[in-house]
Coordinates of all heavy atoms in Angstrom, one line a residue:
D736 N -7.8 19.2 -35.8 CA -6.5 18.5 -35.9 C -5.9 18.0 -34.6 O -5.3 18.7 -33.7 CB -5.4 19.4 -36.6 CG -4.1 18.5 -37.0 OD1 -4.1 17.3 -36.7 OD2 -3.1 19.2 -37.4
F737 N -6.2 16.8 -34.2 CA -5.6 16.2 -32.9 C -4.1 15.9 -33.2 O -3.8 15.0 -34.0 CB -6.3 15.0 -32.5 CG -7.6 15.2 -32.0 CD1 -8.8 15.0 -32.7 CD2 -7.8 15.6 -30.7 CE1 -10.0 15.1 -32.1 CE2 -9.1 15.7 -30.0 CZ -10.2 15.6 -30.8
K738 N -3.2 16.9 -32.8 CA -1.9 16.6 -32.9 C -1.4 15.3 -32.4 O -1.7 15.0 -31.2 CB -1.0 17.8 -32.4 CG -1.3 19.1 -33.0 CD -0.9 19.3 -34.4 CE -1.1 20.7 -34.9 NZ -0.9 20.8 -36.3
S739 N -0.6 14.6 -33.2 CA 0.0 13.3 -32.7 C 1.2 12.9 -33.4 O 1.6 13.5 -34.4 CB -1.1 12.2 -33.0 OG -1.4 12.0 -34.3
G740 N 1.9 12.0 -32.8 CA 3.0 11.3 -33.4 C 3.0 9.9 -33.2 O 2.1 9.4 -32.5
I741 N 3.9 9.2 -33.9 CA 4.0 7.7 -33.7 C 5.2 7.4 -32.8 O 6.3 7.9 -32.9 CB 4.3 7.0 -35.0 CG1 3.2 7.5 -36.0 CG2 4.4 5.4 -34.9 CD1 1.9 6.9 -35.7
L742 N 4.9 6.5 -31.8 CA 6.0 6.0 -30.9 C 6.0 4.5 -31.1 O 5.0 3.8 -31.1 CB 5.7 6.3 -29.4 CG 6.7 5.6 -28.5 CD1 8.0 6.1 -28.7 CD2 6.1 5.9 -27.0
R743 N 7.2 4.0 -31.5 CA 7.4 2.5 -31.8 C 8.5 2.1 -30.8 O 9.5 2.5 -30.6 CB 8.0 2.3 -33.2 CG 6.9 2.5 -34.2 CD 7.4 2.6 -35.6 NE 8.1 1.4 -36.0 CZ 7.7 0.3 -36.4 NH1 6.4 0.2 -36.7 NH2 8.5 -0.8 -36.7
I744 N 8.0 1.1 -30.0 CA 8.8 0.6 -28.8 C 9.0 -1.0 -29.1 O 8.0 -1.8 -29.2 CB 8.2 0.7 -27.4 CG1 8.1 2.3 -27.1 CG2 9.1 0.2 -26.3 CD1 9.2 3.0 -27.0
G745 N 10.2 -1.4 -29.2 CA 10.6 -2.8 -29.4 C 11.3 -3.4 -28.1 O 11.8 -2.6 -27.2
A746 N 11.3 -4.6 -27.9 CA 11.9 -5.2 -26.9 C 12.8 -6.5 -27.4 O 12.3 -7.4 -28.2 CB 11.0 -5.9 -25.8
V747 N 14.1 -6.4 -27.3 CA 15.0 -7.4 -27.9 C 16.0 -7.9 -27.0 O 16.2 -7.3 -25.9 CB 15.7 -6.8 -29.2 CG1 14.7 -6.4 -30.3 CG2 16.6 -5.6 -28.8
S748 N 16.5 -9.1 -27.4 CA 17.7 -9.5 -26.6 C 18.8 -9.9 -27.7 O 18.6 -11.0 -28.4 CB 17.5 -10.7 -25.7 OG 18.7 -11.3 -25.0
G749 N 19.6 -9.1 -28.1 CA 20.6 -9.2 -29.2 C 19.7 -9.2 -30.5 O 19.0 -8.2 -30.6
A750 N 19.6 -10.3 -31.3 CA 18.8 -10.2 -32.4 C 17.5 -10.9 -32.3 O 16.6 -10.7 -33.2 CB 19.6 -11.0 -33.6
E751 N 17.1 -11.3 -31.1 CA 15.9 -12.0 -30.8 C 14.8 -11.1 -30.3 O 15.1 -10.2 -29.5 CB 16.0 -13.3 -29.8 CG 16.9 -14.3 -30.5 CD 16.9 -15.5 -29.4 OE1 16.0 -15.7 -28.6 OE2 17.9 -16.2 -29.4
L752 N 13.7 -11.2 -30.7 CA 12.6 -10.5 -30.1 C 12.1 -11.0 -28.8 O 12.1 -12.1 -28.6 CB 11.4 -10.4 -31.2 CG 11.5 -10.1 -32.5 CD1 10.3 -10.1 -33.5 CD2 12.0 -8.6 -32.5
V753 N 11.8 -10.1 -27.8 CA 11.4 -10.5 -26.5 C 9.9 -10.1 -26.2 O 9.4 -9.0 -26.6 CB 12.4 -9.7 -25.4 CG1 11.8 -9.9 -24.0 CG2 13.9 -10.2 -25.5
D754 N 9.3 -11.0 -25.6 CA 7.8 -10.6 -25.3 C 7.8 -9.8 -24.0 O 8.4 -10.2 -23.0 CB 7.1 -12.0 -25.0 CG 5.6 -11.7 -24.7 OD1 5.1 -10.6 -24.9 OD2 5.1 -12.7 -24.3
A755 N 7.2 -8.6 -24.1 CA 7.4 -7.7 -22.9 C 6.2 -6.8 -22.9 O 5.5 -6.6 -23.9 CB 8.5 -6.7 -23.1
T756 N 5.8 -6.3 -21.7 CA 4.6 -5.5 -21.6 C 5.3 -3.9 -21.5 O 6.5 -3.8 -21.2 CB 4.0 -5.6 -20.2 OG1 4.9 -5.4 -19.1 CG2 3.4 -7.0 -20.0
L757 N 4.4 -3.0 -22.0 CA 5.0 -1.7 -22.2 C 4.0 -0.7 -21.5 O 2.8 -0.9 -21.5 CB 4.9 -1.3 -23.6 CG 5.6 -2.2 -24.6 CD1 5.4 -1.8 -26.0 CD2 7.2 -2.2 -24.4
S758 N 4.6 0.3 -20.8 CA 3.7 1.3 -20.1 C 4.5 2.7 -20.6 O 5.6 2.9 -20.5 CB 3.7 1.2 -18.6 OG 3.1 2.4 -18.1
V759 N 3.6 3.6 -21.1 CA 4.0 4.9 -21.5 C 3.3 6.1 -20.8 O 2.0 6.0 -20.9 CB 3.8 5.1 -23.1 CG1 4.3 6.4 -23.5 CG2 4.4 4.0 -23.8
R760 N 4.1 6.9 -20.0 CA 3.4 7.9 -19.1 C 4.2 9.1 -19.5 O 5.3 9.2 -19.8 CB 3.5 7.6 -17.7 CG 2.9 6.4 -17.1 CD 2.8 6.4 -15.7 NE 2.1 5.1 -15.2 CZ 0.8 5.1 -14.9 NH1 0.1 6.2 -15.1 NH2 0.3 4.1 -14.5
P761 N 3.4 10.3 -19.3 CA 4.1 11.5 -19.4 C 5.3 11.6 -18.6 O 5.2 11.1 -17.3 CB 3.0 12.6 -19.1 CG 1.8 11.9 -19.3 CD 1.9 10.5 -19.1
A762 N 6.5 12.2 -19.0 CA 7.6 12.3 -18.1 C 7.4 13.0 -16.8 O 8.1 12.6 -15.8 CB 8.8 12.9 -18.8
G763 N 6.6 14.0 -16.8 CA 6.3 14.8 -15.6 C 5.2 14.1 -14.6 O 4.9 14.7 -13.7
G764 N 4.8 12.8 -15.0 CA 3.8 12.2 -14.2 C 2.3 12.4 -14.9 O 2.4 13.2 -15.9

């Protein structure tokens, strides 16, 4: 069982969707 969870990241400006790049790193580096 590879333990996992779901992370959903959005980018908005008010009610409009924004095109953005995302980077996710462990908080400790």
Side-chain angles (χ1 to χ4, degrees):
D736 184 6
F737 285 100
K738 298 288 184 197
S739 65
I741 303 294
L742 176 61
R743 294 171 48 89
I744 301 294
V747 298
S748 179
E751 291 187 33
L752 299 176
V753 172
D754 185 9
T756 60
L757 309 172
S758 175
V759 181
R760 293 187 182 276

